[in-house]
């Protein structure tokens, strides 16, 4: 891992924490405790998690900070530094009542903790972060996990990684109403500095794999935002579910798409819609690419890893129909640059970011070239960031948190 990048990340987290702590005391009159959670980027394995498949994400150096202190009136009060807005709820009457507001995410964590038998007493919480919203870097999971860590401390409780990730996913699925898998919450909570994670989304078993020292991960934001709660993301999830149901009915032994082969899918083609067939073909082939990507990493074969990223992007664009013209342009520009091994869309799709694997000594020039060409082509100024795998929330807490 690049020590300079890691040091910058630590300083950034401390700055976010110091400001949130200062504002919290000024607003609520009490010292609070700060807890942080990073963002994530997925190197390969898109839309496979909610069908029990394989993914390969890493935690990256953006952060959400949650500062918490006690109050004695039985209320949950959230203040967002980013929105400069405060909302308040009576804990005794809390139900599953999302409002389509940013507060649904932290409030949903309170509700989800209760489903685990953990009831929290009154609290004030200040939230701050620099994770780009709608960029495919999982700002929602970062917010959920930071909130969960703060509230678990407030309640005097500790939970294992799988439970933290599961309750935060429940927040997303059952409270907010977004049809997402568990990858985001799992890597945001459980990432480890210097490692990418191969996660089996059915068993929740995982391996930590080294990122070769000769490459950097560059994240490029198309500046086109997306949303997961409903819309096209929800449509794709429904199409996948319909195809999976056909396979489950027609092919004994198949429970989830990760159990199916492309031959199984072809045999059931006439029994599902063309859209479901294409979406399922993406997921089945993507699971295979993730497993092959693991082998490429272990061999240090960054060339093959990059080829798999390009194949994954084509599958997201064509079979899953979840890219966008702006993202496609970013990928095309990236692949023309010296030292770029691979590029693809990352996150749920329909905008957001690309993830790029770039030779370390070409990374700075890559960023400048991509920014310049994207601006010249589409008139949009893309944000680009050179990243390295960072610690997730549980590892940060074990190392003393962000205070």
């Amino acid at each position: 891992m690049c020590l300079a990048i890691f040091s910058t990340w630590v300083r950034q987290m401390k700055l976010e924490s110091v400001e949130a702590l200062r504002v919290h005391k000024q607003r609520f009159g009490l010292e609070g405790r700060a807890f942080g959670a990073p963002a994530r980027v997925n190197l390969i394995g898109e839309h496979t998690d909610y069908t029990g498949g394989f993914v390969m994400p890493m935690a990256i150096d953006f952060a959400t900070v949650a500062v918490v202190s006690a109050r004695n009136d039985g209320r949950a009060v959230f203040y967002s530094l980013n929105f400069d807005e405060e909302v308040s709820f009576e804990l005794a009457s809390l139900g599953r009542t999302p409002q389509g507001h940013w507060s649904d995410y932290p409030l949903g964590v309170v509700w989800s903790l209760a489903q685990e038998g953990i009831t929290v007493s009154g609290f004030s919480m200040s939230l701050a972060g620099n994770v780009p919203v709608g960029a495919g870097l999982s700002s929602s999971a970062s917010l959920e996990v930071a909130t969960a860590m703060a509230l678990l401390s407030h309640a005097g409780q500790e939970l294992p990684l799988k439970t933290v990730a599961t309750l935060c996913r429940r927040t997303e699925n059952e409270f907010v109403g977004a049809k997402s898998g568990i990858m985001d919450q799992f890597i945001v909570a459980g990432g480890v500095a210097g490692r990418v994670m191969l996660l089996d989304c059915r068993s929740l078993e995982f391996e930590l794999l080294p990122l070769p020292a000769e490459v950097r991960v560059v994240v490029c934001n198309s500046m086109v935002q997306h949303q997961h709660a409903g819309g096209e993301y929800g449509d794709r999830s429904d199409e996948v579910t319909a195809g999976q149901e056909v396979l489950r009915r027609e092919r004994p032994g198949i429970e989830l798409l990760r159990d199916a082969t492309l031959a199984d899918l072809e045999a059931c083609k006439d029994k599902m819609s063309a859209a479901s067939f294409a979406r399922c073909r993406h997921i089945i082939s993507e699971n295979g690419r993730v497993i092959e990507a693991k082998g490429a990493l272990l061999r240090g074969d960054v060339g093959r890893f990059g080829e798999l990223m390009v194949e994954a992007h084509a599958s997201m664009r064509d079979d899953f129909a979840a890219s966008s013209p702006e993202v496609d342009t970013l990928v095309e520009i990236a692949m023309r640059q010296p030292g770029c091994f691979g590029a693809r869309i990352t996150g749920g799709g329909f905008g957001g970011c690309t993830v790029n694997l770039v030779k370390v000594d070409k990374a700075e020039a890559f960023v400048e070239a991509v920014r310049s060409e994207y601006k010249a082509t589409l008139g949009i100024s893309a944000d680009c960031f050179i990243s390295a795998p960072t610690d997730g929330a549980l590892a940060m807490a074990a190392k003393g948190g962000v205070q």
Side-chain angles (χ1 to χ4, degrees):
M1 177 179 181
C2 176
L3 292 179
I5 292 175
F6 181 67
S7 297
T8 300
W9 158 238
V10 171
R11 288 195 300 271
Q12 179 177 293
M13 281 292 292
K14 287 182 177 178
L15 287 171
E16 292 280 344
S17 175
V18 166
E19 177 63 8
L21 286 163
R22 183 191 67 78
V23 170
H24 185 88
K25 183 176 181 181
Q26 182 180 57
R27 189 171 194 89
F28 297 110
L30 291 173
E31 298 281 358
R33 295 189 64 202
F35 298 83
R40 70 99 186 93
V41 68
N42 190 24
L43 296 180
I44 194 166
E46 223 62 80
H47 286 276
T48 55
D49 56 345
Y50 52 85
T51 54
F54 301 97
V55 292
M56 191 179 289
M58 70 184 209
I60 59 171
D61 47 352
F62 292 92
T64 302
V65 173
V67 178
V68 66
S69 63
R71 54 189 304 132
N72 59 13
D73 61 358
R75 299 192 72 81
V77 179
F78 299 102
Y79 173 67
S80 166
L81 278 73
N82 295 70
F83 294 107
D84 189 22
E85 184 179 10
E86 180 179 302
V87 291
S88 178
F89 303 91
E90 181 67 47
L91 284 168
S93 59
L94 176 63
R96 193 167 65 183
T97 54
Q99 303 296 315
H101 187 259
W102 63 262
S103 59
D104 288 349
Y105 293 93
L107 188 64
V109 173
V110 179
W111 171 83
S112 192
L113 282 167
Q115 310 311 300
E116 295 291 329
I118 298 174
T119 302
V120 297
S121 58
F123 65 88
S124 302
M125 181 177 292
S126 298
L127 296 159
N130 63 357
V131 186
V133 175
L137 302 181
S138 202
S139 57
S140 60
S142 181
L143 175 56
E144 291 156 4
V145 173
T147 301
M149 297 298 293
L151 291 180
L152 285 169
S153 174
H154 176 64
Q157 300 280 341
E158 292 185 359
L159 293 174
L161 169 58
K162 290 181 181 180
T163 307
V164 172
T166 299
L167 76 87
C168 288
R169 182 197 181 184
R170 184 192 299 127
T171 298
E172 192 101 9
N173 293 171
E174 299 181 28
F175 195 93
V176 177
K179 299 177 180 180
S180 60
I182 200 167
M183 171 183 68
D184 296 351
Q185 293 82 6
F186 204 97
I187 186 64
V188 167
V192 173
R195 296 290 185 268
V196 300
M197 179 185 286
L198 174 64
L199 174 63
D200 180 331
C201 295
R202 175 160 57 188
S203 69
L204 299 186
E205 298 300 317
F206 64 93
E207 299 176 61
L208 296 171
L209 306 170
L211 191 67
E214 68 266 31
V215 297
R216 292 287 176 267
V217 172
V218 181
V219 179
C220 296
N221 190 346
S222 71
M223 315 307 288
V224 177
Q225 292 191 0
H226 66 188
Q227 292 183 335
H228 281 184
E232 292 174 307
Y233 186 98
D235 293 343
R236 295 298 179 276
S237 179
D238 291 343
E239 290 160 355
V240 168
T241 299
Q244 184 172 255
E245 286 300 318
V246 171
L247 284 161
R248 184 180 288 142
R249 183 180 69 241
E250 298 291 331
R251 309 293 281 185
I254 293 177
E255 278 298 312
L256 297 169
L257 275 182
R258 72 86 66 64
D259 301 316
T261 65
L262 290 173
D264 290 323
L265 181 65
E266 190 66 36
C268 297
K269 183 175 182 178
D270 294 339
K271 295 180 173 63
M272 64 181 71
S273 70
S276 284
F277 177 81
R279 311 313 177 230
C280 292
R281 182 167 59 189
H282 161 73
I283 291 174
I284 294 169
S285 62
E286 186 81 340
N287 280 322
R289 283 187 287 270
V290 176
I291 297 304
E292 188 176 350
K294 171 192 172 181
L297 270 189
L298 293 176
R299 296 191 307 271
D301 188 351
V302 293
R304 180 55 187 154
F305 194 101
E307 290 171 355
L308 290 165
M309 291 174 69
V310 174
E311 292 171 16
H313 179 76
S315 183
M316 271 285 281
R317 181 192 64 214
D318 301 335
D319 275 349
F320 215 76
S323 189
S324 73
E326 296 86 357
V327 169
D328 292 341
T329 297
L330 269 180
V331 169
E332 291 163 8
I333 292 171
M335 291 308 299
R336 293 198 293 265
Q337 306 310 315
C340 180
F341 296 100
R344 70 171 198 89
I345 191 171
T346 188
F350 312 104
C353 290
T354 64
V355 58
N356 308 268
L357 198 65
V358 183
K359 195 173 180 182
V360 63
D361 61 354
K362 302 291 186 181
E364 295 287 352
F366 173 88
V367 167
E368 292 306 312
V370 169
R371 282 175 173 161
S372 176
E373 291 191 34
Y374 190 61
K375 176 72 172 178
T377 304
L378 296 181
I380 302 172
S381 297
D383 289 335
C384 298
F385 313 94
I386 301 172
S387 299
T390 66
D391 280 329
L394 290 172
M396 286 193 288
K399 295 175 182 177
V402 296
Q403 300 181 73

